[in-house]
Amino acid sequence: MSNSRGFSFLLKDKAKIIEKINQFTDIRKNPEIKLKDIITSVVLMPFYGITSLLGFDRLSRKEQFKKLFGSNRKMVASDSTIKRALMWLKEQEVETFQSSFLKLFEEENLSKIQLTEKGKYRRIGIMDGSQMGNHYVEVLTLLGKTDYPVMMVNSEKRGKELPSAKLLLKQAHEKLKESFPQLFLLDSLYFNKHTFHDIVTNHKSHLLIKSEDPTFREVLREAKLILDNKDKLDTQDIIETKGFDSKRWCSWWIEITSGDFAGYPVRIAHLTEYYPKRKKLQHSECWITTTDLSLFPEEIREAAHLRWHIENNVFKRLSHLTGTKRFYFKDSKPFFNMLKLFCAAIALFDILFNILQQDKEYFKSILDGIKLTWKNIFSQIEETLEPDIFI
């Protein structure tokens, strides 16, 4: 893959980003700035690590940035222009764009992941809520070989996470079709009969919930009682496995028993881990409940760890790259339009970086010895972007 057919080629010809952005409806009459340039600019903000619209205003005036759009104006677009556009963009069109790279995600075999080296490939989803600025959001991210925050809904206020999750599941089942997750990774907030019924019965999927407190649900208390007294009980359904995780550098031990919650058979695991190199919190424990009875102990443990992807690879990453925690839009519509464009951006660039890495020699030349981080990669790729790429 040569420089001339590197990231610019992938962005324009493989991802067809301009073709997708041209699908947006412009309600303005005789606009001076193309809507394509406005939306593309917002999509590029995570790529450049721009954490405010004022920061974008400065970037928009730079000659190198203007060359990407073939712009002869003083700037590509101002912060006020972007604010106005975010207010009137059609939400349905923004949502369509957010999920528009799903086909590429599937074609590049990024949509499924193995929980263990010899385990089967699964479609996995993670749902969780977060507060960004003064807004509350419920997000579904697809956990494959890369993360794809594919859908979200406005929770409106704290305490509305569960109704929002129900709505998000319904919309995702209708929209994602064959890409709908086979297994959902959740936290204890979703440990209730309504969520179990919704995911297992209504959407024919499975769930796995990680809990810190074994007294949180009766089924966990019963499991703890069984495991605490396993030497005294004549039971055949207890599984015990231990191992060493060289990636996280910890030893672990897992005990698994069976139970029933809300009418569904479940497996309940007690996971204990020891991290010898840590100065604090060397010892950790958690309880894991799943309706997927086909999961092996090692897979249950790995799935519990991967639930943190939505925190680390989506929420914290968005905050770090785009400053979403500090964007204060009084009106929720422009904020969520912007947030969905940001989610599309980080999903797209992750997909493209993954494609670049398939050509090991080319990707090695891009890195040129620097540490593999988002900003380091971009600092190298930025110089290869072709002028007029977004025309």
Side-chain angles (χ1 to χ4, degrees):
M1 187 183 292
S2 65
N3 283 2
S4 62
R5 289 174 63 81
F7 196 78
S8 294
F9 168 76
L10 294 177
L11 194 60
K12 190 170 184 178
D13 294 76
K14 186 77 171 178
K16 302 186 184 302
I17 187 170
I18 300 304
E19 182 179 311
K20 289 178 170 65
I21 289 176
N22 279 333
Q23 301 301 311
F24 282 86
T25 302
D26 194 342
I27 66 170
R28 302 169 299 167
K29 296 182 179 179
N30 303 317
E32 290 186 14
I33 303 174
K34 296 176 182 178
L35 180 59
K36 167 183 67 65
D37 293 351
I38 296 172
I39 295 173
T40 304
S41 296
V42 177
V43 171
L44 288 174
M45 285 176 66
F47 197 41
Y48 280 86
I50 300 297
T51 58
S52 70
L53 291 180
L54 285 176
F56 170 76
D57 194 283
R58 292 190 292 271
L59 173 67
S60 182
R61 299 170 186 269
K62 293 185 176 180
E63 289 300 320
Q64 186 176 1
F65 189 76
K66 291 194 292 181
K67 286 178 180 178
L68 301 178
F69 298 84
S71 175
N72 295 317
R73 293 172 47 82
K74 183 179 179 181
M75 62 175 67
V76 175
S78 67
D79 59 326
S80 57
T81 298
I82 288 178
K83 283 182 180 178
R84 287 193 296 270
L86 290 171
M87 179 65 76
W88 53 256
L89 280 178
K90 294 183 178 180
E91 294 174 74
Q92 186 174 0
E93 292 182 349
V94 178
E95 290 170 0
T96 298
F97 180 77
Q98 183 184 357
S99 60
S100 65
F101 303 105
L102 196 54
K103 182 180 179 182
L104 184 59
F105 189 60
E106 295 280 358
E107 289 175 349
E108 294 298 323
N109 297 314
L110 301 174
S111 60
K112 294 182 181 181
I113 190 174
Q114 290 173 293
L115 292 172
T116 59
E117 186 178 350
K118 296 182 180 180
K120 74 175 185 179
Y121 282 90
R122 288 178 170 87
R123 297 183 188 277
I124 296 178
I126 312 176
M127 268 196 321
D128 203 1
S130 181
Q131 181 182 2
M132 298 184 182
N134 56 340
H135 303 280
Y136 294 89
V137 57
E138 186 75 17
V139 176
L140 168 62
T141 187
L142 303 181
L143 172 61
K145 294 184 181 69
T146 66
D147 296 274
Y148 194 140
V150 68
M151 295 182 70
M152 66 178 61
V153 295
N154 183 356
S155 291
E156 297 182 358
K157 61 181 181 180
R158 190 183 299 276
K160 293 294 183 180
E161 293 91 349
L162 291 177
S164 299
K166 184 177 180 64
L167 174 61
L168 184 58
L169 280 169
K170 182 176 182 296
Q171 293 178 351
H173 196 256
E174 294 170 351
K175 189 167 188 174
L176 300 182
K177 296 182 172 51
E178 68 275 2
S179 295
F180 189 77
Q182 299 162 317
L183 176 66
F184 284 88
L185 311 183
L186 308 169
D187 64 24
S188 290
L189 175 67
Y190 305 89
F191 204 146
N192 59 76
K193 64 179 181 180
H194 299 294
T195 303
F196 272 65
H197 180 74
D198 210 20
I199 291 178
V200 181
T201 300
N202 293 345
H203 301 308
K204 311 302 180 187
S205 189
H206 285 289
L207 54 79
L208 181 144
I209 297 176
K210 180 181 178 182
S211 307
E212 301 300 327
D213 183 6
T215 66
F216 179 69
R217 286 284 183 264
E218 185 178 352
V219 68
L220 295 180
R221 293 195 294 271
E222 292 175 351
K224 185 177 187 303
L225 184 63
I226 291 172
L227 295 176
D228 285 347
N229 296 277
K230 60 180 180 291
D231 294 336
K232 303 175 185 178
L233 299 174
D234 183 20
T235 178
Q236 302 296 320
D237 72 339
I238 294 177
I239 301 171
E240 295 183 74
T241 307
K242 62 182 179 180
F244 185 81
D245 187 335
S246 57
K247 182 174 66 175
R248 300 182 180 95
W249 202 254
C250 72
S251 57
W252 57 270
W253 173 43
I254 193 168
E255 314 169 87
I256 302 173
T257 185
S258 300
D260 183 278
F261 182 77
Y264 298 98
V266 295
R267 277 190 170 177
I268 302 157
H270 176 221
L271 174 64
T272 304
E273 295 180 324
Y274 178 70
Y275 294 82
K277 289 192 173 182
R278 288 182 180 178
K279 292 184 178 180
K280 296 181 179 180
L281 298 176
Q282 290 183 328
H283 178 87
S284 69
E285 294 183 55
C286 70
W287 292 80
I288 309 161
T289 306
T290 182
T291 59
D292 190 341
L293 307 183
S294 70
L295 289 170
F296 292 108
E298 296 84 355
E299 292 178 312
I300 291 174
R301 174 181 175 269
E302 184 63 20
H305 274 284
L306 292 179
R307 200 210 70 79
W308 285 102
H309 265 239
I310 195 167
E311 294 287 346
N312 297 326
N313 290 12
V314 179
F315 297 147
K316 288 183 180 179
R317 192 177 183 195
L318 282 169
S319 178
H320 175 65
L321 293 173
T322 66
T324 49
K325 292 288 186 181
R326 300 188 297 274
F327 267 100
Y328 287 94
F329 285 88
K330 184 177 181 180
D331 194 310
S332 63
K333 182 178 179 180
F335 176 79
F336 277 91
N337 278 340
M338 178 189 69
L339 186 58
K340 290 168 187 175
L341 291 174
F342 286 167
C343 285
I346 65 172
L348 170 61
F349 294 131
D350 273 348
I351 293 170
L352 298 187
F353 289 161
N354 191 277
I355 296 173
L356 283 177
Q357 289 181 72
Q358 294 172 19
D359 188 330
K360 295 182 180 180
E361 288 302 315
Y362 177 67
F363 194 69
K364 184 178 179 181
S365 69
I366 290 177
L367 288 179
D368 194 25
I370 63 175
K371 185 178 180 181
L372 179 58
T373 67
W374 174 284
K375 289 186 177 181
N376 279 349
I377 294 173
F378 173 65
S379 69
Q380 302 294 89
I381 288 177
E382 182 183 14
E383 298 179 2
T384 73
L385 290 177
E386 299 171 2
D388 303 332
I389 182 179
F390 298 122
I391 290 181

